[in-house]
Amino acid sequence: MNPRKIEFILALIAGITGIIAGITGIASGGILAAFFGSEELSNATSMTATDSEVLVAAGGFAIIFSIIALVLGIALLVFAVLIKRNAKVFGILTLVAGAVGFFLVGLLWIVPGVLAIIAGIMCLVRKVETV
């Protein structure tokens, strides 16, 4: 039996859901930027040009942070594969990637973040018996 199977599965699911969170963030940031950048909305809601520019900039930042979260999701997939080689190093990297995602996309990162943090802690704490 594979000694790090649980950590592998948790990190793999974290990576897949992290990719989904990144793509969702990119889409929502694009919709935010496109929706609030339209002149029809600012005319209909009496928003000033400054308000509209700020909301478009917020959508741009959401896209940038979501792209970084997407890269973290892909990195979690790579870490899941490499956990079996060096559990301590990739456990720390998985733990850090899981924590950093919360600062990037917030609530979208709940599932991948919690799973990555659990997998990282298990890699660092759990002793595997060699047969």
PDB file of all heavy atoms in Angstrom, residues 62-85:
ATOM      1  N   ALA A  62      -9.165  41.552  -9.223  1.00  0.00           N
ATOM      2  CA  ALA A  62      -9.739  40.228  -8.996  1.00  0.00           C
ATOM      3  C   ALA A  62      -9.245  39.237 -10.040  1.00  0.00           C
ATOM      4  O   ALA A  62      -8.948  38.078  -9.717  1.00  0.00           O
ATOM      5  CB  ALA A  62     -11.269  40.309  -9.015  1.00  0.00           C
ATOM      6  N   ILE A  63      -9.114  39.694 -11.276  1.00  0.00           N
ATOM      7  CA  ILE A  63      -8.604  38.819 -12.333  1.00  0.00           C
ATOM      8  C   ILE A  63      -7.154  38.442 -12.058  1.00  0.00           C
ATOM      9  O   ILE A  63      -6.763  37.280 -12.177  1.00  0.00           O
ATOM     10  CB  ILE A  63      -8.757  39.488 -13.716  1.00  0.00           C
ATOM     11  CG1 ILE A  63     -10.225  39.585 -14.089  1.00  0.00           C
ATOM     12  CG2 ILE A  63      -7.980  38.723 -14.781  1.00  0.00           C
ATOM     13  CD1 ILE A  63     -10.486  40.399 -15.324  1.00  0.00           C
ATOM     14  N   ILE A  64      -6.337  39.411 -11.680  1.00  0.00           N
ATOM     15  CA  ILE A  64      -4.914  39.150 -11.411  1.00  0.00           C
ATOM     16  C   ILE A  64      -4.749  38.176 -10.246  1.00  0.00           C
ATOM     17  O   ILE A  64      -3.984  37.209 -10.321  1.00  0.00           O
ATOM     18  CB  ILE A  64      -4.164  40.471 -11.148  1.00  0.00           C
ATOM     19  CG1 ILE A  64      -4.095  41.291 -12.425  1.00  0.00           C
ATOM     20  CG2 ILE A  64      -2.758  40.204 -10.601  1.00  0.00           C
ATOM     21  CD1 ILE A  64      -3.605  42.697 -12.232  1.00  0.00           C
ATOM     22  N   PHE A  65      -5.472  38.414  -9.159  1.00  0.00           N
ATOM     23  CA  PHE A  65      -5.371  37.525  -8.000  1.00  0.00           C
ATOM     24  C   PHE A  65      -5.890  36.130  -8.326  1.00  0.00           C
ATOM     25  O   PHE A  65      -5.365  35.127  -7.836  1.00  0.00           O
ATOM     26  CB  PHE A  65      -6.122  38.099  -6.806  1.00  0.00           C
ATOM     27  CG  PHE A  65      -5.477  39.322  -6.222  1.00  0.00           C
ATOM     28  CD1 PHE A  65      -6.232  40.266  -5.553  1.00  0.00           C
ATOM     29  CD2 PHE A  65      -4.117  39.543  -6.331  1.00  0.00           C
ATOM     30  CE1 PHE A  65      -5.645  41.390  -5.005  1.00  0.00           C
ATOM     31  CE2 PHE A  65      -3.520  40.665  -5.792  1.00  0.00           C
ATOM     32  CZ  PHE A  65      -4.292  41.600  -5.124  1.00  0.00           C
ATOM     33  N   SER A  66      -6.912  36.044  -9.166  1.00  0.00           N
ATOM     34  CA  SER A  66      -7.455  34.742  -9.541  1.00  0.00           C
ATOM     35  C   SER A  66      -6.503  33.972 -10.448  1.00  0.00           C
ATOM     36  O   SER A  66      -6.451  32.742 -10.384  1.00  0.00           O
ATOM     37  CB  SER A  66      -8.808  34.915 -10.224  1.00  0.00           C
ATOM     38  OG  SER A  66      -9.729  35.492  -9.324  1.00  0.00           O
ATOM     39  N   ILE A  67      -5.756  34.682 -11.285  1.00  0.00           N
ATOM     40  CA  ILE A  67      -4.750  34.005 -12.109  1.00  0.00           C
ATOM     41  C   ILE A  67      -3.671  33.412 -11.214  1.00  0.00           C
ATOM     42  O   ILE A  67      -3.223  32.279 -11.433  1.00  0.00           O
ATOM     43  CB  ILE A  67      -4.163  34.978 -13.153  1.00  0.00           C
ATOM     44  CG1 ILE A  67      -5.208  35.278 -14.223  1.00  0.00           C
ATOM     45  CG2 ILE A  67      -2.897  34.415 -13.791  1.00  0.00           C
ATOM     46  CD1 ILE A  67      -4.817  36.378 -15.197  1.00  0.00           C
ATOM     47  N   ILE A  68      -3.264  34.151 -10.193  1.00  0.00           N
ATOM     48  CA  ILE A  68      -2.272  33.627  -9.249  1.00  0.00           C
ATOM     49  C   ILE A  68      -2.847  32.416  -8.509  1.00  0.00           C
ATOM     50  O   ILE A  68      -2.155  31.420  -8.280  1.00  0.00           O
ATOM     51  CB  ILE A  68      -1.801  34.722  -8.279  1.00  0.00           C
ATOM     52  CG1 ILE A  68      -1.112  35.848  -9.055  1.00  0.00           C
ATOM     53  CG2 ILE A  68      -0.857  34.161  -7.231  1.00  0.00           C
ATOM     54  CD1 ILE A  68      -0.828  37.082  -8.235  1.00  0.00           C
ATOM     55  N   ALA A  69      -4.133  32.473  -8.135  1.00  0.00           N
ATOM     56  CA  ALA A  69      -4.779  31.335  -7.480  1.00  0.00           C
ATOM     57  C   ALA A  69      -4.861  30.136  -8.420  1.00  0.00           C
ATOM     58  O   ALA A  69      -4.706  28.989  -7.979  1.00  0.00           O
ATOM     59  CB  ALA A  69      -6.178  31.725  -6.998  1.00  0.00           C
ATOM     60  N   LEU A  70      -5.072  30.377  -9.698  1.00  0.00           N
ATOM     61  CA  LEU A  70      -5.080  29.296 -10.680  1.00  0.00           C
ATOM     62  C   LEU A  70      -3.706  28.632 -10.761  1.00  0.00           C
ATOM     63  O   LEU A  70      -3.603  27.401 -10.782  1.00  0.00           O
ATOM     64  CB  LEU A  70      -5.491  29.831 -12.048  1.00  0.00           C
ATOM     65  CG  LEU A  70      -5.528  28.844 -13.204  1.00  0.00           C
ATOM     66  CD1 LEU A  70      -6.624  27.811 -12.977  1.00  0.00           C
ATOM     67  CD2 LEU A  70      -5.750  29.578 -14.501  1.00  0.00           C
ATOM     68  N   VAL A  71      -2.659  29.430 -10.730  1.00  0.00           N
ATOM     69  CA  VAL A  71      -1.295  28.885 -10.722  1.00  0.00           C
ATOM     70  C   VAL A  71      -1.050  28.087  -9.444  1.00  0.00           C
ATOM     71  O   VAL A  71      -0.420  27.023  -9.476  1.00  0.00           O
ATOM     72  CB  VAL A  71      -0.257  30.021 -10.896  1.00  0.00           C
ATOM     73  CG1 VAL A  71       1.154  29.528 -10.670  1.00  0.00           C
ATOM     74  CG2 VAL A  71      -0.389  30.647 -12.277  1.00  0.00           C
ATOM     75  N   LEU A  72      -1.570  28.564  -8.312  1.00  0.00           N
ATOM     76  CA  LEU A  72      -1.444  27.798  -7.062  1.00  0.00           C
ATOM     77  C   LEU A  72      -2.185  26.467  -7.145  1.00  0.00           C
ATOM     78  O   LEU A  72      -1.711  25.457  -6.619  1.00  0.00           O
ATOM     79  CB  LEU A  72      -1.987  28.606  -5.883  1.00  0.00           C
ATOM     80  CG  LEU A  72      -1.061  29.632  -5.274  1.00  0.00           C
ATOM     81  CD1 LEU A  72      -1.782  30.385  -4.164  1.00  0.00           C
ATOM     82  CD2 LEU A  72       0.195  29.005  -4.751  1.00  0.00           C
ATOM     83  N   GLY A  73      -3.337  26.452  -7.791  1.00  0.00           N
ATOM     84  CA  GLY A  73      -4.071  25.198  -7.967  1.00  0.00           C
ATOM     85  C   GLY A  73      -3.288  24.204  -8.809  1.00  0.00           C
ATOM     86  O   GLY A  73      -3.231  23.015  -8.496  1.00  0.00           O
ATOM     87  N   ILE A  74      -2.648  24.695  -9.865  1.00  0.00           N
ATOM     88  CA  ILE A  74      -1.816  23.822 -10.693  1.00  0.00           C
ATOM     89  C   ILE A  74      -0.610  23.347  -9.890  1.00  0.00           C
ATOM     90  O   ILE A  74      -0.208  22.176  -9.975  1.00  0.00           O
ATOM     91  CB  ILE A  74      -1.395  24.555 -11.981  1.00  0.00           C
ATOM     92  CG1 ILE A  74      -2.627  24.821 -12.848  1.00  0.00           C
ATOM     93  CG2 ILE A  74      -0.363  23.760 -12.756  1.00  0.00           C
ATOM     94  CD1 ILE A  74      -2.391  25.763 -14.005  1.00  0.00           C
ATOM     95  N   ALA A  75      -0.032  24.243  -9.081  1.00  0.00           N
ATOM     96  CA  ALA A  75       1.107  23.856  -8.241  1.00  0.00           C
ATOM     97  C   ALA A  75       0.698  22.793  -7.227  1.00  0.00           C
ATOM     98  O   ALA A  75       1.477  21.874  -6.942  1.00  0.00           O
ATOM     99  CB  ALA A  75       1.672  25.078  -7.530  1.00  0.00           C
ATOM    100  N   LEU A  76      -0.507  22.889  -6.692  1.00  0.00           N
ATOM    101  CA  LEU A  76      -0.981  21.865  -5.748  1.00  0.00           C
ATOM    102  C   LEU A  76      -1.089  20.503  -6.418  1.00  0.00           C
ATOM    103  O   LEU A  76      -0.821  19.475  -5.779  1.00  0.00           O
ATOM    104  CB  LEU A  76      -2.322  22.275  -5.142  1.00  0.00           C
ATOM    105  CG  LEU A  76      -2.257  23.316  -4.027  1.00  0.00           C
ATOM    106  CD1 LEU A  76      -3.659  23.788  -3.663  1.00  0.00           C
ATOM    107  CD2 LEU A  76      -1.551  22.765  -2.819  1.00  0.00           C
ATOM    108  N   LEU A  77      -1.471  20.481  -7.686  1.00  0.00           N
ATOM    109  CA  LEU A  77      -1.491  19.206  -8.413  1.00  0.00           C
ATOM    110  C   LEU A  77      -0.084  18.620  -8.524  1.00  0.00           C
ATOM    111  O   LEU A  77       0.118  17.418  -8.335  1.00  0.00           O
ATOM    112  CB  LEU A  77      -2.075  19.394  -9.812  1.00  0.00           C
ATOM    113  CG  LEU A  77      -3.577  19.565  -9.923  1.00  0.00           C
ATOM    114  CD1 LEU A  77      -3.973  19.832 -11.366  1.00  0.00           C
ATOM    115  CD2 LEU A  77      -4.299  18.361  -9.387  1.00  0.00           C
ATOM    116  N   VAL A  78       0.884  19.477  -8.814  1.00  0.00           N
ATOM    117  CA  VAL A  78       2.270  19.016  -8.924  1.00  0.00           C
ATOM    118  C   VAL A  78       2.774  18.548  -7.563  1.00  0.00           C
ATOM    119  O   VAL A  78       3.435  17.509  -7.446  1.00  0.00           O
ATOM    120  CB  VAL A  78       3.158  20.136  -9.499  1.00  0.00           C
ATOM    121  CG1 VAL A  78       4.620  19.751  -9.456  1.00  0.00           C
ATOM    122  CG2 VAL A  78       2.732  20.477 -10.912  1.00  0.00           C
ATOM    123  N   PHE A  79       2.447  19.304  -6.514  1.00  0.00           N
ATOM    124  CA  PHE A  79       2.879  18.911  -5.169  1.00  0.00           C
ATOM    125  C   PHE A  79       2.266  17.574  -4.764  1.00  0.00           C
ATOM    126  O   PHE A  79       2.901  16.779  -4.073  1.00  0.00           O
ATOM    127  CB  PHE A  79       2.503  19.977  -4.132  1.00  0.00           C
ATOM    128  CG  PHE A  79       3.154  21.314  -4.349  1.00  0.00           C
ATOM    129  CD1 PHE A  79       2.615  22.453  -3.784  1.00  0.00           C
ATOM    130  CD2 PHE A  79       4.302  21.441  -5.111  1.00  0.00           C
ATOM    131  CE1 PHE A  79       3.201  23.686  -3.976  1.00  0.00           C
ATOM    132  CE2 PHE A  79       4.896  22.674  -5.315  1.00  0.00           C
ATOM    133  CZ  PHE A  79       4.346  23.793  -4.745  1.00  0.00           C
ATOM    134  N   ALA A  80       1.016  17.328  -5.189  1.00  0.00           N
ATOM    135  CA  ALA A  80       0.363  16.059  -4.854  1.00  0.00           C
ATOM    136  C   ALA A  80       1.123  14.888  -5.449  1.00  0.00           C
ATOM    137  O   ALA A  80       1.289  13.853  -4.801  1.00  0.00           O
ATOM    138  CB  ALA A  80      -1.078  16.065  -5.359  1.00  0.00           C
ATOM    139  N   VAL A  81       1.599  15.058  -6.669  1.00  0.00           N
ATOM    140  CA  VAL A  81       2.348  13.982  -7.313  1.00  0.00           C
ATOM    141  C   VAL A  81       3.706  13.787  -6.638  1.00  0.00           C
ATOM    142  O   VAL A  81       4.188  12.668  -6.480  1.00  0.00           O
ATOM    143  CB  VAL A  81       2.510  14.279  -8.820  1.00  0.00           C
ATOM    144  CG1 VAL A  81       3.431  13.283  -9.477  1.00  0.00           C
ATOM    145  CG2 VAL A  81       1.146  14.283  -9.492  1.00  0.00           C
ATOM    146  N   LEU A  82       4.321  14.883  -6.201  1.00  0.00           N
ATOM    147  CA  LEU A  82       5.668  14.812  -5.651  1.00  0.00           C
ATOM    148  C   LEU A  82       5.722  14.575  -4.142  1.00  0.00           C
ATOM    149  O   LEU A  82       6.819  14.457  -3.582  1.00  0.00           O
ATOM    150  CB  LEU A  82       6.433  16.097  -6.001  1.00  0.00           C
ATOM    151  CG  LEU A  82       6.643  16.329  -7.494  1.00  0.00           C
ATOM    152  CD1 LEU A  82       7.298  17.683  -7.725  1.00  0.00           C
ATOM    153  CD2 LEU A  82       7.466  15.222  -8.105  1.00  0.00           C
ATOM    154  N   ILE A  83       4.582  14.503  -3.489  1.00  0.00           N
ATOM    155  CA  ILE A  83       4.555  14.289  -2.031  1.00  0.00           C
ATOM    156  C   ILE A  83       5.228  12.973  -1.661  1.00  0.00           C
ATOM    157  O   ILE A  83       5.879  12.867  -0.637  1.00  0.00           O
ATOM    158  CB  ILE A  83       3.105  14.357  -1.494  1.00  0.00           C
ATOM    159  CG1 ILE A  83       2.733  15.797  -1.219  1.00  0.00           C
ATOM    160  CG2 ILE A  83       2.923  13.538  -0.239  1.00  0.00           C
ATOM    161  CD1 ILE A  83       1.335  15.997  -0.728  1.00  0.00           C
ATOM    162  N   LYS A  84       5.110  11.977  -2.507  1.00  0.00           N
ATOM    163  CA  LYS A  84       5.667  10.656  -2.200  1.00  0.00           C
ATOM    164  C   LYS A  84       7.195  10.677  -2.174  1.00  0.00           C
ATOM    165  O   LYS A  84       7.803   9.858  -1.501  1.00  0.00           O
ATOM    166  CB  LYS A  84       5.182   9.643  -3.223  1.00  0.00           C
ATOM    167  CG  LYS A  84       3.691   9.479  -3.227  1.00  0.00           C
ATOM    168  CD  LYS A  84       3.236   8.665  -4.405  1.00  0.00           C
ATOM    169  CE  LYS A  84       1.729   8.732  -4.525  1.00  0.00           C
ATOM    170  NZ  LYS A  84       1.250   8.150  -5.760  1.00  0.00           N
ATOM    171  N   ARG A  85       7.805  11.581  -2.924  1.00  0.00           N
ATOM    172  CA  ARG A  85       9.275  11.629  -2.983  1.00  0.00           C
ATOM    173  C   ARG A  85       9.885  12.253  -1.739  1.00  0.00           C
ATOM    174  O   ARG A  85      10.828  11.719  -1.171  1.00  0.00           O
ATOM    175  CB  ARG A  85       9.720  12.411  -4.205  1.00  0.00           C
ATOM    176  CG  ARG A  85       9.416  11.678  -5.470  1.00  0.00           C
ATOM    177  CD  ARG A  85      10.084  12.327  -6.623  1.00  0.00           C
ATOM    178  NE  ARG A  85       9.716  11.608  -7.844  1.00  0.00           N
ATOM    179  CZ  ARG A  85       9.945  12.060  -9.038  1.00  0.00           C
ATOM    180  NH1 ARG A  85      10.542  13.211  -9.200  1.00  0.00           N
ATOM    181  NH2 ARG A  85       9.585  11.355 -10.085  1.00  0.00           N
TER     182      ARG A  85
END
